[in-house]
Amino acid sequence: MKVYKNLYGKIISTENLFEAWNIFKRDKRNRPDVEAFEKNVEYEIFKLGRELRGKQYRHGPYRMFLVHDPKLRRIHKATVRDRVLHHAIFKVLNPIFEPTFIPASFSCRVGKGTHKGVEYLKRTLRTVSKNGTSPCFALKCDVRKFFDSVDHDILLNILEKRVIDPDTRWLIREIIESYEAAGFTRERVKNAPRKGVPIGNLTSQLFANIYMNEFDQFMKHGLRVKQYMRYTDDFVIVSEDQSYLQSLIPKISRFLHIQLALSLHPDKVFIRKYRQGIDFLGYVALWKHIKVRKKTEKRIFRKLRKRVKSFKAGMITEVTLFSSLKSYLGVLSHADAHEVAQELENSFWFWLKE
């Protein structure tokens, strides 16, 4: 295993911090906190650099808000300067860990994503079912409260196998331990297992992939599962043998519990026939085509109608409104949903004229 040292200088270099700022600020310049930071950007970046060089940097607090995506999620938003640093860390660490990830890991990676994941599932169903002529089943699982359950010590141990630079280790620990899960302070939980990474951090997306890559490697090399794919904490295994899939569940559960301190969601472990369609990442994959999940379809209509009402009330601009329409049509374009897309456009113009 290749190890890396002398990474800290790369992360905290003025050049890297300014590059991180340029990446971070894309599509965010109209946000008040970003505008305020940009007014004094040179001062802020140089100050951040000084604090990092002197190891006086401390991660700031988070602002928590709720989103429906579609289930209710707690998003923890860091300050602008902390998010710039997250990008700076990501720029240096991601190239180290990215080559270790399996091809069928689709979350938060360049060239991957939800649509590639669903398309991969469709192709897999087609292959295993021999174009719909042979038995084919899919085991679909979800890790229970994944982001809140990531164990800090386990994560740090995984990271520190490759990152041996003590200063970088200090900084990574500062980022990971900045999250106060469930509202507890560090002092109140210091004698208990430290758990949780905030969904809102860019670094959390990388840490999630690094953490679950341990599971990916177990699936591919430990259990030698062939048709396996994952997106964050959701994963699917496809096979022509239903009993084989059933036999994997206790092995999977045991590894997650012992090695990663995680557990499967008891209500989200299913084995389905491929003809029923496999619900994955907001779509339903079949061997011939991809459908939009009914809940996703209803949510799109509901959200777009809400955007139209906001536009009529003067709360959003015409550009924002039409960007929303384009975005939702884009979601539908990745499925066999021409009629749904047409209905959405017709409804949009009808709502505008109401």
Side-chain angles (χ1 to χ4, degrees):
M1 179 188 295
K2 186 176 181 180
V3 297
Y4 295 83
K5 53 186 177 180
N6 302 323
L7 297 175
Y8 194 65
K10 295 179 181 178
I11 293 171
I12 71 170
S13 72
T14 302
E15 180 183 8
N16 191 50
L17 291 175
F18 271 105
E19 285 182 9
W21 158 251
N22 288 329
I23 294 170
F24 165 77
K25 71 180 180 181
R26 293 171 188 167
D27 304 321
K28 297 186 183 73
R29 280 181 164 168
N30 293 330
R31 298 179 187 179
D33 56 346
V34 178
E35 286 183 344
F37 189 91
E38 188 165 28
K39 287 180 180 177
N40 298 291
V41 64
E42 291 189 0
Y43 169 80
E44 295 288 353
I45 294 293
F46 284 118
K47 179 185 176 186
L48 176 59
R50 286 194 302 273
E51 290 181 10
L52 289 165
R53 284 191 295 275
K55 295 182 73 173
Q56 298 171 323
Y57 167 81
R58 294 295 180 269
H59 197 285
Y62 291 92
R63 181 172 67 84
M64 194 273 284
F65 57 94
L66 301 174
V67 298
H68 293 268
D69 186 34
K71 63 183 178 182
L72 193 65
R73 294 183 184 273
R74 292 180 302 156
I75 305 297
H76 290 80
K77 183 179 179 182
T79 63
V80 171
R81 81 173 203 139
D82 291 327
R83 284 181 283 160
V84 170
L85 180 58
H86 297 166
H87 278 268
I89 294 170
F90 184 89
K91 283 179 78 278
V92 174
L93 292 189
N94 189 58
I96 292 171
F97 289 95
E98 172 66 27
T100 70
F101 300 152
I102 65 171
S105 166
F106 291 94
S107 175
C108 306
R109 298 175 64 194
V110 175
K112 302 290 184 177
T114 57
H115 303 129
K116 292 288 180 66
V118 177
E119 183 62 36
Y120 183 86
L121 175 56
K122 186 185 81 169
R123 293 198 308 269
T124 302
L125 292 171
R126 179 183 297 167
T127 299
V128 175
S129 71
K130 297 180 175 61
N131 291 329
T133 63
S134 295
C136 179
F137 304 88
L139 169 62
K140 169 91 165 45
C141 300
D142 188 328
V143 175
R144 185 176 183 271
K145 294 184 178 179
F146 171 68
F147 281 97
D148 281 339
S149 301
V150 171
D151 186 288
H152 291 184
D153 289 330
I154 294 174
L155 174 58
L156 286 164
N157 183 57
I158 296 168
L159 286 161
E160 291 175 359
K161 287 177 183 177
R162 287 184 176 274
V163 178
I164 63 172
D165 175 357
D167 290 335
T168 303
R169 286 181 172 184
W170 165 79
L171 181 58
I172 290 172
R173 188 177 292 272
E174 176 65 29
I175 299 297
I176 291 172
E177 295 182 354
S178 67
Y179 180 51
E180 298 174 353
F184 291 110
T185 64
R186 293 186 197 181
E187 289 71 26
R188 287 179 63 188
V189 298
K190 68 180 180 181
N191 294 320
R194 296 161 300 162
K195 292 178 178 287
V197 292
I199 295 176
N201 283 5
L202 175 64
T203 48
S204 295
Q205 297 173 10
L206 174 60
F207 294 154
N209 274 335
I210 292 170
Y211 202 80
M212 287 300 288
N213 185 51
E214 300 293 300
F215 178 65
D216 295 341
Q217 300 301 327
F218 169 70
M219 294 298 288
K220 300 300 290 185
H221 303 295
L223 296 181
R224 297 185 180 278
V225 175
K226 293 180 180 179
Q227 310 295 354
Y228 162 81
M229 62 218 69
R230 180 183 61 81
Y231 189 98
T232 311
D233 58 340
D234 292 347
F235 58 92
V236 178
I237 305 162
V238 180
S239 173
E240 68 280 359
D241 187 344
Q242 184 176 5
S243 61
Y244 165 71
L245 294 177
Q246 190 69 45
S247 73
L248 290 176
I249 297 172
K251 298 173 185 176
I252 289 170
S253 183
R254 190 179 307 114
F255 180 88
L256 288 172
H257 174 68
I258 294 173
Q259 300 298 325
L260 298 176
L262 300 173
S263 60
L264 294 175
H265 196 300
D267 300 325
K268 296 183 179 180
V269 177
F270 305 101
I271 296 178
R272 293 172 63 89
K273 295 179 180 178
Y274 79 100
R275 291 186 185 277
Q276 295 175 288
I278 312 304
D279 192 328
F280 190 49
L281 306 178
Y283 297 88
V284 178
L286 297 104
W287 75 269
K288 267 190 175 181
H289 59 280
I290 296 170
K291 299 192 298 185
V292 179
R293 185 196 292 166
K294 280 294 180 184
K295 286 183 180 179
T296 303
E297 185 180 315
K298 290 179 180 178
R299 189 170 72 253
I300 286 173
F301 275 80
R302 183 174 65 251
K303 284 190 171 182
L304 185 58
R305 183 160 197 178
K306 186 177 179 180
R307 298 295 269 176
V308 171
K309 288 181 179 178
S310 296
F311 170 69
K312 288 183 173 181
M315 297 169 63
I316 63 173
T317 66
E318 183 177 322
V319 171
T320 300
L321 175 64
F322 279 89
S323 292
S324 296
L325 173 62
K326 184 178 179 181
S327 175
Y328 292 134
L329 290 175
V331 171
L332 296 174
S333 72
H334 291 278
D336 298 288
H338 175 73
E339 292 182 1
V340 177
Q342 190 64 57
E343 183 184 352
L344 183 68
E345 284 197 82
N346 292 339
S347 298
F348 174 77
W349 292 111
F350 175 77
W351 294 330
L352 274 178
K353 294 175 182 177
E354 278 184 320

